[in-house]
Amino acid sequence: MTRALILGGTADANLLAATIASAGIDAVYSYGGRTASPAEQPLPTRIGGFGGVGGLADYLRREGITHVIDATHPFAAEMSRNAIAACAQAATPLLALERAPWNRTSGDRWIEVADVGSAVAALPESRANVFLAIGRQHIAPFGSRPQHAYTLRFVDTPGETLPLPDAEIIVSRGPFTLEGELEMMRTRAIAWIVARNSGGSGARAKIDAARTLGLPVIMITRPPLPERPRVERVREVMEWLGHRTCLGA
């Protein structure tokens, strides 16, 4: 019998969960626990970490997991590495549902950097209005550039004080539209954008808006991961699980 574990937290993972539930497949959806109000899922849900590689491997054995789908954010590198190692320990098949990264197109003004520290260094010295679209876990390094006015967008209202003296917080959940992103950037006179190359369509509008407005984007490239089987579409996951007909969500 198939019993799948979805390592989720993304729109792709949510679509996969709905599709798996419609197909009647036994599965568990796992959230990392970083979001205070995660989206409700049509599958049994667990929230929180597993306790590293060993803890995840023990969970797979204890719960009789036969397939693991890593549908975490492309920048959740630690979880993805743990999944690779734990599945190897437990001899459990692993497949990554990973959206393709964005590619630079004509009109894009990207400054590609390897990490958050390099993104901080790429900001101008003079004061500027900066849209930080990188998630709340990576804000602290920008405290070394306090001269800028930052706009940040989170799914939840942060419970802690941000290390930025001049910051405006937008609480909103995507997907976002091009029109909405253009309005946000124009009304706040955004001059620079810092983003991670998450890929997919749900967060792409800010990249399209930056191109429309001719704004520079400091683009953080994806962290390297060990080789693993990967697909980009939910139907490919369903085929991997042995369900040739995708019932849809």
Side-chain angles (χ1 to χ4, degrees), residues 87-107:
C87 286
Q89 283 189 18
T92 304
L94 169 69
L95 182 69
L97 175 59
E98 181 182 74
R99 66 191 77 161
W102 297 314
N103 293 314
R104 185 198 303 261
T105 62
S106 177

Side-chain angles (χ1 to χ4, degrees), residues 156-205:
D156 306 305
T157 301
E160 71 281 1
T161 301
L162 298 181
L164 305 172
D166 189 351
E168 178 185 1
I169 298 170
I170 302 172
V171 178
S172 182
R173 188 189 296 268
F176 303 100
T177 65
L178 174 59
E179 293 74 17
E181 297 293 66
L182 286 170
E183 181 182 5
M184 183 273 291
M185 293 178 189
R186 284 170 174 153
T187 57
R188 291 167 176 79
I190 298 299
W192 287 77
I193 297 168
V194 181
R196 298 181 296 179
N197 196 334
S198 303
S201 59
R204 185 183 176 85

Side-chain angles (χ1 to χ4, degrees), residues 5 7 16 66-72 80-81 83-85 87-88 91-99 222 225-233 236-237 239-241:
L5 172 65
L7 303 175
L16 175 63
T66 62
H67 297 74
V68 176
I69 303 102
D70 180 2
T72 57
S80 293
R81 293 187 187 106
I84 293 169
C87 286
T92 304
L94 169 69
L95 182 69
L97 175 59
E98 181 182 74
R99 66 191 77 161
R222 294 184 179 183
L225 290 172
E227 285 295 324
R228 55 184 178 161
R230 61 173 295 276
V231 296
E232 296 179 8
R233 298 173 180 83
E236 294 174 287
V237 178
E239 292 172 359
W240 181 70
L241 291 173

Side-chain angles (χ1 to χ4, degrees), residues 1-5 26-30 44-46 50 55-68 90 92:
M1 294 292 293
T2 297
R3 180 167 168 78
L5 172 65
D26 185 13
V28 178
Y29 189 106
S30 177
T45 301
R46 68 174 304 280
F50 293 92
L56 178 53
D58 289 344
Y59 177 88
L60 299 179
R61 299 187 189 100
R62 183 174 66 251
E63 297 296 324
I65 301 298
T66 62
H67 297 74
V68 176
T92 304

Side-chain angles (χ1 to χ4, degrees), residues 47 85 132 144 180 216:
I47 298 176
L132 288 185
S144 64

